[in-house]
């Protein structure tokens, strides 16, 4: 199924063999198979140069396209079934400059190099929060960005937190390349044991040459400072150290990074703090505040972000919802919450939109020979 996220086209399939396609190293994938082949595929396609964009998977039911290019999600789990596997390769032939030649070159190679598997970070008791966050970011980076044209893990935003944490566990077992939305779920999972670190989704919608692009990171807040975890094709559009005094400072850092790629930041969606209880049956609130950045003055944007920061603080420490029945607990996991974890409302009425839009939208930057700058 074509869907658009992180600017890549994703097909769900799990390759058996893969090799790098650099002088002296090649990449080979032939049949649907286990995740071992998928780990090898990640290097193959990154070296082959498949173009992708970091983009957030939109809510179910919306038009999941970005810049006119769809991406495909593996909805059949791992190992990838044959139908999805072949769909992935057909997509590769469509989006790669060498078309079918690259697929034939990779799939026809039998030499399989060993791909290192990163270890899930562990922490010493005296490790500081910034050190732990840096270790988590290194692990996310070591998984590598997914250049295969296939999102291997299906992330449904409407699922309860406990179900999303199960997917995160699978990510650590399979050690496959990931995209930005998967990195957010993984970041939540890896920071659940840090009760002094609050996490919230932070997503961006940008415009370049008439096309829109989406991306998402995991905002973090601890010790009065903000930062971010995530993954992207661009180094300055993912990790931010825990050193920004306000949410406004953090957002401006991303805005400046987007300008380097001639992208105009149009809209920002900010969610509430996520529970630290991996068994919580709550849903993540992905967009409590929706801000039209290009229609707001700097002062208006600052006030909106301050208001959202206050809203997040107010959610902390509220009473947990009633526990489900005993039978339901067996199916969904315990809903008991960490006392320091926030409560969230998921209704439309609880979301705040930005102040009244102004006229005169900013025009897109010049396109160089029709080339889409993908971030």
């Amino acid at each position: 199924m074509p869907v658009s996220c992180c600017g890549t086209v994703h097909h769900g399939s799990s390759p058996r063999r893969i090799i790098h396609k650099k002088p002296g190293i090649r990449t080979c994938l032939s049949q649907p198979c286990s995740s071992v082949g998928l780990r090898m595929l990640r290097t193959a396609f990154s070296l082959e140069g498949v173009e992708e964009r970091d983009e957030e998977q939109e809510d179910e039911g919306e038009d999941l396209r970005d810049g006119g290019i769809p991406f495909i999600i593996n909805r059949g789990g791992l190992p990838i079934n044959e139908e999805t596997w072949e769909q992935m390769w057909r997509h590769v032939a469509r989006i790669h400059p060498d078309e079918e030649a690259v697929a034939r070159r990779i799939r026809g190679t039998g030499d399989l190099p060993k791909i290192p598997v990163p270890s899930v970070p562990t922490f010493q008791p005296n490790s500081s929060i910034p050190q732990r966050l840096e270790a988590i970011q290194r692990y996310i980076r070591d998984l590598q960005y997914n250049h295969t044209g296939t999102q291997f893990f299906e992330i449904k935003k409407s699922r309860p937190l406990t179900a999303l944490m199960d997917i995160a566990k699978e990510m650590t077992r399979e050690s496959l390349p990931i995209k930005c939305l998967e990195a957010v779920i993984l970041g939540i999972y890896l920071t659940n044991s840090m009760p002094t670190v609050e996490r919230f989704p932070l997503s961006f919608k940008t415009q370049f040459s008439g096309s829109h692009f989406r991306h998402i990171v995991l905002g973090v807040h601890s010790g009065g400072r903000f930062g971010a975890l995530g993954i992207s094709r661009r180094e300055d559009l993912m990790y931010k150290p825990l050193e920004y005094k306000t949410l406004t400072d953090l957002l401006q850092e991303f805005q400046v990074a987007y300008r380097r790629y001639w992208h105009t930041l149009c809209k920002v969606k900010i969610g509430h703090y996520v529970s630290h209880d991996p068994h919580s049956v709550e849903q993540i609130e992905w967009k409590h505040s929706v801000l039209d950045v290009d229609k707001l003055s700097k002062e208006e944007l600052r006030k909106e972000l301050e208001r959202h920061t206050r809203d997040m603080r107010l959610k902390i420490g509220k009473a947990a919802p009633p526990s489900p029945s005993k039978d339901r607990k067996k199916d969904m996991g315990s809903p008991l919450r960490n006392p320091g974890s926030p409560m969230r409302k998921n209704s439309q009425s609880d979301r705040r939109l930005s102040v009244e839009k102004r006229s005169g939208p900013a025009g897109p930057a010049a396109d160089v020979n029709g080339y889409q700058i993908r971030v």
Side-chain angles (χ1 to χ4, degrees):
M1 287 265 312
V3 201
S4 142
C5 166
C6 294
T8 329
V9 184
H10 297 264
H11 295 278
S13 315
S14 151
R16 172 156 299 231
R17 320 192 153 222
I18 305 163
I19 296 189
H20 317 309
K21 185 337 180 158
K22 217 176 181 181
I25 312 180
R26 291 172 300 181
T27 319
C28 160
L29 309 160
S30 48
Q31 301 174 2
C33 160
S34 70
S35 58
V36 175
L38 284 174
R39 287 199 296 270
M40 308 170 82
L41 180 61
R42 67 183 172 197
T43 308
F45 274 98
S46 61
L47 292 175
E48 287 287 346
V50 175
E51 290 290 346
E52 301 188 32
R53 294 179 300 276
D54 294 312
E55 182 183 332
E56 172 198 4
Q57 178 180 336
E58 283 288 350
D59 296 340
E60 289 77 18
E62 296 183 16
D63 180 18
L64 298 179
R65 283 177 173 268
D66 175 64
I69 301 178
F71 72 89
I72 297 173
I73 297 177
N74 171 30
R75 302 186 187 279
L78 297 172
I80 294 175
N81 60 52
E82 186 165 355
E83 179 182 358
T84 307
W85 179 245
E86 293 302 325
Q87 185 183 26
M88 177 185 73
W89 285 108
R90 289 194 299 270
H91 176 69
V92 168
R94 287 196 300 270
I95 65 174
H96 198 280
D98 293 337
E99 298 180 338
E100 295 182 0
V102 64
R104 288 196 302 268
R105 186 161 57 245
I106 294 174
R107 300 183 80 175
T109 305
D111 185 15
L112 297 177
K114 268 198 169 183
I115 302 298
V117 177
S119 300
V120 178
T122 56
F123 310 110
Q124 297 296 327
N126 59 348
S127 298
S128 67
I129 292 300
Q131 288 173 334
R132 296 184 182 205
L133 293 177
E134 288 177 16
I136 290 171
Q137 180 63 43
R138 280 196 302 271
Y139 173 73
I140 292 174
R141 189 193 303 267
D142 288 345
L143 289 177
Q144 298 187 19
Y145 185 83
N146 183 350
H147 291 278
T148 64
T150 299
Q151 181 171 314
F152 300 127
F153 302 96
E154 182 183 14
I155 307 296
K156 291 185 176 179
K157 291 183 175 180
S158 58
R159 300 190 74 183
L161 185 59
T162 181
L164 294 175
M165 294 302 94
D166 288 340
I167 295 174
K169 290 179 187 176
E170 188 177 15
M171 291 183 206
T172 62
R173 288 194 301 267
E174 302 294 346
S175 295
L176 297 175
I178 57 177
K179 296 184 72 63
C180 60
L181 184 57
E182 294 161 298
V184 167
I185 300 302
L186 186 58
I188 292 172
Y189 173 73
L190 295 173
T191 53
N192 275 336
S193 61
M194 305 178 194
T196 60
V197 177
E198 298 296 348
R199 300 80 42 84
F200 59 95
L202 177 61
S203 59
F204 311 95
K205 180 179 180 180
T206 63
Q207 185 182 54
F208 173 79
S209 189
S211 296
H212 289 96
F213 302 82
R214 294 178 176 83
H215 178 47
I216 187 169
V217 296
L218 180 67
V220 292
H221 180 254
S222 180
R225 291 291 187 270
F226 287 90
L229 300 172
I231 200 166
S232 168
R233 294 176 68 250
R234 308 290 182 177
E235 286 290 327
D236 46 1
L237 290 176
M238 46 183 185
Y239 174 65
K240 301 296 178 185
L242 200 65
E243 60 183 30
Y244 299 91
K245 293 183 179 180
T246 66
L247 189 54
T248 303
D249 295 336
L250 177 63
L251 180 59
Q252 286 177 345
E253 179 67 20
F254 279 102
Q255 195 168 18
V256 169
Y258 271 118
R259 289 196 191 113
R260 297 189 187 108
Y261 308 110
W262 300 282
H263 276 236
T264 300
L265 183 58
C266 303
K267 184 176 291 186
V268 175
K269 298 177 183 178
I270 316 171
H272 266 312
Y273 289 152
V274 179
S275 170
H276 284 79
D277 179 11
H279 305 295
S280 171
V281 296
E282 297 178 46
Q283 294 178 346
I284 294 174
E285 186 171 358
W286 297 93
K287 47 184 180 181
H288 176 75
S289 294
V290 181
L291 308 178
D292 290 297
V293 178
D294 56 346
K295 305 297 190 300
L296 297 173
S297 68
K298 287 186 178 181
E299 183 62 20
E300 289 170 336
L301 179 60
R302 183 187 63 79
K303 289 181 179 179
E304 290 294 317
L305 292 171
E306 287 180 353
R307 184 178 295 115
H308 182 88
T309 303
R310 289 194 298 269
D311 288 349
M312 289 195 295
R313 289 172 183 162
L314 289 173
K315 295 292 180 181
I316 299 177
K318 289 192 175 181
S323 299
S325 64
K326 188 174 182 180
D327 291 338
R328 191 180 172 198
K329 284 183 182 180
K330 292 178 182 177
D331 297 331
M332 303 185 70
S334 171
L336 296 178
R337 303 167 46 78
N338 185 311
S341 298
M343 286 281 301
R344 293 169 305 287
K345 298 177 184 177
N346 287 307
S347 64
Q348 290 285 345
S349 61
D350 193 44
R351 299 172 183 161
R352 285 189 302 100
L353 299 180
S354 61
V355 298
E356 184 178 356
K357 298 181 180 180
R358 295 179 176 179
S359 59
D367 188 359
V368 182
N369 295 326
Y371 177 71
Q372 293 287 344
I373 297 181
R374 307 185 175 191
V375 296

